[in-house]
Amino acid sequence: MTSAVSIEALTKSYGKLEAVRGISFEIGSGEVFGLLGPNGAGKTTTVEILEGYRKRDGGTVRVLGEDPERAGTEWRQRIGVVLQSSAVYTTLTVREMLALFAGYYRKPRPVDEVIELVGLMEKRNTRIKSLSGGQARRLDLGLALVGDPELIFLDEPTTGFDPGARRAAWATIRALRSLGKTILLTTHYLEEAEQLSDRVAVLREGRIVAHGRPADLMGRSRGAEIRYLRDGEEVVVKTDEPTRTLHELTAQALDAGVELEGLEVRRPTLEDVYLSLTEQDDETVLS
Amino acid sequence: MRLFFHELKGEQLLYWRSREAAFFTFIFPLLLYVLVSAFYTGDIYGQPAGRVLLAGLLGYGAATTSFAGIAIFLVIRRENGVLKRLRATPLPPAMYIAALLGSTLLVFAIEAAAMIGLARVTYHVGVPDRLGSLALSLLLGAAAFAALGIAMAAAIRSAEGASAVVNLVVLPMAFLSGSFGPTRHFPHVLRAIADVLPLTYLVRLVRSAIVFDQPIWHEPGAIGVVAGWGLVGLVLAVWAFRWEPSESG
C-alpha cells in the first residue's frame, strides 16, 4: 500500500499552547481516514499543516510525496480542500462559482456532474447568498471535488447538518471512496467516523490516544454492561465475561421467581470508547 | 495566459454583480461630476470649470475604483475565507492579484471613457488632445492607488467596517486634493495636508494633460510623488498581506 499522507512526530505550538504534541500516522492511497477528537484537540491544526497552510515546528510530513510547506501549484492540482467554515463568493450562482474554480485546474470534472454529485441540481442557478447553511456546505464539497483531486481534506464537512443532509453527504463521500479517492476526514461525530472511515485516530490534547479500525477500537474495551431494574432502580453490572455473568444473574432470578425488568446486555459503542479516551480527568486510559 | 483571462472574466462577473461596489466606485464618480459641474459654472481660476472638474473627478475615480474598490474587495474576501480557500487551489497568488488589478483597471478605463463622454455631452468639454499623456497619468495613478488599496486592506480587520473606513480616507482626501473644486481658499493647515496627498499630485498630472494640454513629463515632480506613494503602498502591501481571516474576539 503506497501512502498518500505520512506524518512522523509532528509538533506545532502557538505561543505557549502546544496544539500538536508529536503525532504520527499514515494514510494509504484510496483510504478514508477519520481524525476524531473534541474541539481544541489539534485536528484542524494537523489538517492545515497537511494542506500547506501552517508551518510545522517539528517532525516530517509527506503529502502525495511532497512537503506541503514547499509544494507548488502542481501539487495543488492533486488535492481538494473543504475548510472548517464555508468560503464562497455569495454574489455568484452555484454553477458560476463551480465553473470559476473548475478553470483553475488542468483536468476538472464537468461542472454539472459535480453539481449532481453534491445534490445541488435544483439550486444550480441560485445565488449562493440564498442557499441554506447545509447547501453552502455541499457547495464547499463540490468546490473540493471540481478539480478531480486524488486526495481530499474534509474538515468537519457536516457540522450543522440535519440528519437527512448528513446521510446524503455520507453517500457522496462513499461515492468518492469508490472512485479510489483518498480522504482525510475530521469530525467530532463518532457515528460519522464509524460509518465512513477505514481507520480512525482519536486525538486528545495534541496527542493520538487511539488508532485503528473502528471495530478494533470497540473491541479494545473490555467486556459488556448488563442493565436491569430492581425495585424500579437501574442496576448496571460491568463484566468481562458477559455470558457467565448473565447466566448467574438469570439463574438467581429464576430461583427467586422474579422477573429481571428491563434486562439489557450492551457492548460498548465507539462512543463509549471515545468518551473514555477523551475524558479530561480519566488518566488511566492514557497509559 | 488562459488562467489570467479566466480569472479576469471571473473578477469582472464579481465586480458587476456586487451592486454596492459597482455603485460606489463606478456610478458615484460620474454622478459627482454632474453634481459639481452644475455647482461650479464658468471658470475656476481662469480655466473652464467643466475641464478642471473633469480632471478632478478622473483623479477621484482612480482613487475610489482602485484604492477603495480593491481594499473593500480584499477585506471582504479575506474575512469570509475566500482568499484562504484560493490558496489551496492551483491558481498562483500573483496571478490572482494580477487579475484583480487588471479587472480594476478595466473598470476604471470604462469609467474614464464614460466621464470624458459625459463631459462632452453635458458641458461641451472636448475630448482631450493629450490622450496618451492622460492615459499614462491615469494608469500611474490607478496602479499607485491599487498598491495602497492592497496595503489598506491589511489594516482593516472586519468586512462590515471596510466600506466606512476606506471612505473615511478617500472622501477627505478628494476634498483636500481639489477633486471636487477649488481649494485655494482652504485654511493653511488643510492645504499643507493636501501637499503630501497622492491624489493632489494625480489631479495635477491629469489637469496638466486635460486643461493645459501638456505632455506627462511636464510634471516630473508630480509623477515622482504619485510613484513614490505607489512604492510605499507596494512595500506595505507585500509586508502586511494576509490570506486568512482576522482572529475573532
Side-chain angles (χ1 to χ4, degrees):
Chain A
M1 186 170 71
T2 52
S3 58
V5 173
S6 78
I7 299 182
E8 186 70 47
L10 176 69
T11 54
K12 174 74 183 175
S13 300
Y14 300 108
K16 277 188 181 152
L17 175 75
E18 294 174 64
V20 175
R21 308 179 182 196
I23 67 176
S24 306
F25 62 78
E26 298 225 350
I27 305 176
S29 190
E31 195 178 21
V32 178
F33 189 89
L35 206 49
L36 265 168
N39 287 330
K43 300 190 298 292
T44 294
T45 299
T46 304
V47 173
E48 291 197 342
I49 288 170
L50 296 176
E51 291 164 340
Y53 283 115
R54 318 237 164 277
K55 288 193 190 300
R56 61 186 180 272
D57 294 339
T60 50
V61 172
R62 277 278 173 280
V63 176
L64 298 176
E66 295 196 43
D67 178 349
E69 273 180 32
R70 296 195 186 89
T73 55
E74 276 309 306
W75 179 77
R76 291 188 165 82
Q77 293 276 358
R78 301 165 64 200
I79 65 164
V81 168
V82 171
L83 295 174
Q84 204 169 50
S85 54
S86 194
V88 284
Y89 292 122
T90 54
T91 52
L92 299 186
T93 68
V94 167
R95 206 177 182 293
E96 287 164 344
M97 179 90 206
L98 283 162
L100 180 62
F101 267 52
Y104 299 155
Y105 297 88
R106 207 178 302 112
K107 285 183 203 152
R109 290 174 80 95
V111 168
D112 288 318
E113 198 182 299
V114 175
I115 294 174
E116 184 89 65
L117 189 63
V118 297
L120 286 173
M121 222 41 194
E122 281 163 33
K123 297 283 175 186
R124 67 184 181 282
N125 293 318
T126 303
R127 298 282 176 91
I128 294 168
K129 64 171 135 249
S130 25
L131 296 182
S132 72
Q135 288 163 346
R137 212 65 189 123
R138 276 187 270 161
L139 175 59
D140 281 319
L141 182 58
L143 291 169
L145 305 182
V146 78
D148 200 19
E150 296 161 45
L151 169 63
I152 303 165
F153 296 101
L154 305 173
D155 199 357
E156 298 186 8
T158 65
T159 297
F161 280 26
D162 61 51
R166 180 163 299 133
R167 267 163 219 288
W170 289 355
T172 309
I173 293 167
R174 284 195 194 101
L176 293 172
R177 185 182 185 281
S178 64
L179 290 171
K181 308 294 183 194
T182 308
I183 297 172
L184 172 53
L185 169 81
T186 80
T187 181
H188 40 226
Y189 299 114
L190 286 144
E191 200 191 348
E192 185 159 293
E194 198 174 350
Q195 288 281 332
L196 298 175
S197 313
D198 298 309
R199 286 187 306 137
V200 299
V202 180
L203 273 183
R204 180 192 144 176
E205 293 174 352
R207 289 195 182 90
I208 292 179
V209 291
H211 188 190
R213 293 188 305 147
D216 293 342
L217 287 188
M218 284 185 275
R220 251 179 57 148
S221 74
R222 330 129 277 234
E225 276 176 8
I226 297 168
R227 293 164 186 263
Y228 59 94
L229 296 176
R230 186 199 290 151
D231 306 329
E233 299 266 321
E234 186 174 59
V235 181
V236 180
V237 183
K238 290 191 179 177
T239 170
D240 291 337
E241 294 177 290
T243 315
R244 174 183 296 275
T245 312
L246 191 63
H247 183 81
E248 285 168 8
L249 262 176
T250 48
Q252 283 168 17
L254 283 175
D255 286 349
V258 293
E259 177 63 35
L260 292 173
E261 299 281 348
L263 178 65
E264 175 178 37
V265 184
R266 211 164 70 90
R267 294 276 297 159
T269 62
L270 185 55
E271 180 156 2
D272 299 324
V273 178
Y274 173 80
L275 286 176
S276 70
L277 286 169
T278 55
E279 205 59 37
Q280 297 296 317
D281 48 10
D282 189 356
E283 289 299 330
T284 52
V285 190
L286 262 181
S287 51
Chain B
M1 243 5 216
R2 184 200 66 83
L3 197 52
F4 175 78
F5 283 111
H6 174 78
E7 183 61 16
L8 184 69
K9 219 174 97 190
E11 288 297 336
Q12 280 291 299
L13 182 61
L14 284 163
Y15 180 85
W16 298 107
R17 269 290 165 75
S18 162
R19 280 200 217 114
E20 196 197 336
F23 179 78
F24 275 104
T25 66
F26 188 83
I27 306 283
F28 200 51
L30 297 174
L31 216 59
L32 275 179
Y33 176 69
V34 175
L35 277 173
V36 292
S37 302
F39 186 70
Y40 295 105
T41 48
D43 288 356
I44 294 175
Y45 304 133
Q47 303 298 332
R51 252 170 212 283
V52 174
L53 292 170
L54 176 60
L57 266 300
L58 282 172
Y60 169 72
T64 193
T65 311
S66 205
F67 175 77
I70 286 180
I72 292 169
F73 267 134
L74 281 179
V75 171
I76 291 173
R77 292 175 186 183
R78 186 189 66 217
E79 294 305 315
N80 75 11
V82 175
L83 288 189
K84 180 176 179 181
R85 181 65 187 80
L86 282 174
R87 288 286 276 151
T89 72
L91 179 69
M95 183 83 82
Y96 171 72
I97 297 293
L100 179 61
L101 289 185
S103 173
T104 305
L105 290 178
L106 185 61
V107 168
F108 180 56
I110 298 170
E111 180 182 314
M115 201 182 287
I116 291 168
L118 193 68
R120 190 172 148 71
V121 173
T122 54
Y123 300 99
H124 310 290
V125 175
V127 174
D129 295 334
R130 294 279 182 187
L131 269 183
S133 286
L134 175 63
L136 276 179
S137 305
L138 291 176
L139 185 65
L140 172 70
F145 277 120
L148 289 165
I150 299 172
M152 184 79 198
I156 302 173
R157 293 183 63 83
S158 85
E160 290 77 28
S163 204
V165 174
V166 166
N167 278 310
L168 209 61
V169 175
V170 172
L171 281 174
M173 174 167 71
F175 267 108
L176 294 179
S177 63
S179 286
F180 303 149
T183 60
R184 282 188 206 167
H185 58 290
F186 280 12
H188 182 75
V189 181
L190 294 184
R191 279 183 290 145
I193 295 172
D195 277 346
V196 296
L197 295 175
L199 188 52
T200 306
Y201 296 88
L202 177 60
V203 169
R204 185 177 296 172
L205 269 179
V206 176
R207 207 182 275 158
S208 157
I210 291 184
V211 181
F212 303 106
D213 288 327
Q214 296 294 335
I216 184 169
W217 55 84
H218 198 255
E219 292 277 2
I223 295 175
V225 176
V226 176
W229 270 101
L231 279 178
V232 170
L234 191 64
V235 170
L236 287 175
V238 171
W239 175 68
F241 197 85
R242 286 181 288 137
W243 292 94
E244 298 197 14
S246 311
E247 301 292 329
S248 50

